[in-house]
Amino acid sequence: MTTGTTRAAPLWDVPVRLFHGLLVALIAFSWWSGENHEMEWHRTSGYAILALVVFRLFWGVAGGRTARFARFVRGPRAVIAYVRGGAGAPPGHNPLGGWSVVAMLATVAAMVTAGLFAVDVDGLESGPLADYVTFDQGRMAAEWHGAIFNVLLALIALHVAAVLVYLVRGRNLIGAMIHGRRVVAEGEAVEPLGASWWRALLGVAIAGAAAWAVSRGFRF
Amino acid sequence: MTMMRNTIRAALVLATLTAAAPPPQQVVAARHAGFKKMGAAMKALGDQLKSDAPAKPAMVAAAQTIATTARQQAALFPAGTGPGAGVKTEALPAIWTNRAAFDAQMKALIAESGKLVAVTNGGDVTAIRAQMKATGATCAACHRQFRAED
């Protein structure tokens, strides 16, 4: 390898990128369908998001190197060190960005959970688990469902703003989330991500089964 | 005899509606409670339809609650109980400016919820589900026109 050439190494595995793209699209679709009272579509979209969240939790322990929670969920000391510009973080989510991932994932999970129990004001439309709660509890779940969405929108705005700040500072994070590769420094050792297809398929099966069971209200 | 009794009853109703008109807050609270009761009954009916073995008595009771309450609701929109009256309400002014359309919607609700009672008494789950949808459609149509989006 001659001086001046750049090499590329894998950064995000295919499931991570698919998860990200699908989540963006489905949250947008859920927003639209909710606003337009397309509740059949809204529920279906919610089940798909539930499957995505379950898959991501699974992939956080079974996925490629940069997908794993153990790799990017760091303690406060690491976060402070990163913010102060001290320690160079390994490729992947940085210590601060890792918490952004956790916050968004937790918020989406909370929103889906509230939606499962939600009932509309007329008692006509409801989540698949709403018959396990009273009308008043279902109404409360619906209010939380809406309130949590505002939290989610704020987190998404923060996420997009952070990505843009990096872009202005000359670091493009967007491309890597699309093509999955990063530029490797001269002489840097490249580790494979180690994402396995059969594990991804297992995760899809688990996620699909979980979402299906919930959508049936656990009535089989 | 019956006629006289009816006349007395009508006079009493008129008296309560005109002479002793309750304060707007009270009317708004009453109709809000009524709609909430209908919502809870609608959910109760839907819950039964979701289950593997829908219980007919529960469905009939829910349908009757909806139908009975629907008839009472129609009288709970007297003039002066809209958003202008200093009360917190999602009722839109159009109810009073477009009264004929509102009354027609209320009539449709009373008709469909009446059918819902008949169909639930019949016990055919598919028919009940269809009539629940038809009743719900009258709710939704009226809300689109006469209720503020929350």
Side-chain angles (χ1 to χ4, degrees):
Chain A
M1 192 136 306
T2 54
T3 318
T5 56
T6 52
R7 290 181 301 150
L11 176 61
W12 305 117
D13 56 43
V14 172
V16 162
R17 286 179 279 145
L18 271 180
F19 165 82
H20 184 268
L22 287 172
L23 187 60
V24 171
L26 284 170
I27 285 175
F29 181 72
S30 282
W31 191 359
W32 175 85
S33 55
E35 288 292 320
N36 290 284
H37 307 290
E38 295 282 353
M39 298 319 282
E40 206 57 57
W41 283 113
H42 190 71
R43 271 187 292 267
T44 306
S45 185
Y47 303 148
I49 291 174
L50 173 63
L52 281 179
V53 170
V54 172
F55 176 83
R56 189 62 187 87
L57 292 176
F58 170 86
W59 204 238
V61 293
R65 201 177 298 275
T66 52
R68 297 202 180 199
F69 298 131
R71 159 97 162 207
F72 68 77
V73 181
R74 308 286 305 276
R77 216 168 293 156
V79 176
I80 291 166
Y82 176 79
V83 172
R84 285 182 178 160
H93 297 298
N94 67 55
L96 187 59
W99 282 104
S100 172
V101 172
V102 170
M104 285 193 280
L105 202 56
T107 306
V108 170
M111 191 169 172
V112 169
T113 306
L116 297 176
F117 294 94
V119 180
D120 77 336
V121 68
D122 305 323
L124 290 167
E125 299 285 354
S126 59
L129 305 184
D131 53 324
Y132 293 98
V133 300
T134 65
F135 182 65
D136 283 326
Q137 288 164 339
R139 288 301 300 142
M140 191 177 282
E143 268 164 40
W144 285 348
H145 189 61
I148 296 168
F149 186 49
N150 290 330
V151 175
L152 183 63
L153 283 179
L155 287 173
I156 291 171
L158 192 65
H159 170 63
V160 171
V163 169
L164 291 178
V165 166
Y166 278 107
L167 191 64
V168 169
R169 289 180 171 188
R171 276 194 70 189
N172 182 356
L173 306 181
I174 303 159
M177 197 39 85
I178 297 165
H179 52 61
R181 292 184 308 277
R182 68 186 174 95
V183 175
V184 182
E186 188 84 18
E188 186 190 329
V190 173
E191 330 160 277
L193 291 177
S196 104
W197 278 110
W198 73 261
R199 281 204 190 125
L201 286 177
L202 179 64
V204 168
I206 291 170
W212 178 79
V214 169
S215 76
R216 299 289 309 261
F218 302 107
R219 278 176 292 266
F220 311 116
Chain B
M1 198 57 196
T2 323
M3 207 177 121
M4 203 167 100
R5 219 182 299 151
N6 277 341
T7 315
I8 293 170
R9 200 178 289 157
L12 277 174
V13 168
L14 260 179
T16 45
L17 280 179
T18 54
Q25 293 96 318
Q26 210 172 307
V27 179
V28 171
R31 73 185 179 220
H32 189 265
F35 281 127
K36 201 174 158 189
K37 200 157 109 188
M38 291 170 76
M42 198 60 101
K43 177 184 181 292
L45 179 57
D47 287 352
Q48 289 301 327
L49 291 173
K50 269 190 197 174
S51 78
D52 295 323
K56 194 177 149 186
M59 292 196 290
V60 171
Q64 275 168 347
T65 300
I66 295 166
T68 312
T69 315
R71 281 195 292 273
Q72 294 162 354
Q73 290 301 91
L76 291 176
F77 289 87
T81 61
V87 287
K88 197 175 156 281
T89 176
E90 285 172 3
L92 291 178
I95 292 171
W96 293 275
T97 56
N98 197 359
R99 189 70 200 205
F102 178 76
D103 287 342
Q105 296 274 27
M106 272 292 182
K107 244 186 210 149
L109 170 66
I110 290 166
E112 293 297 339
S113 57
K115 269 191 230 165
L116 185 63
V117 173
V119 171
T120 28
N121 271 316
D124 176 10
V125 170
T126 314
I128 297 171
R129 192 168 281 134
Q131 188 52 36
M132 182 185 166
K133 267 209 175 125
T135 311
T138 64
C139 302
C142 189
H143 292 163
R144 261 196 302 279
Q145 207 177 347
F146 295 113
R147 185 182 69 183
E149 278 272 342
D150 62 355

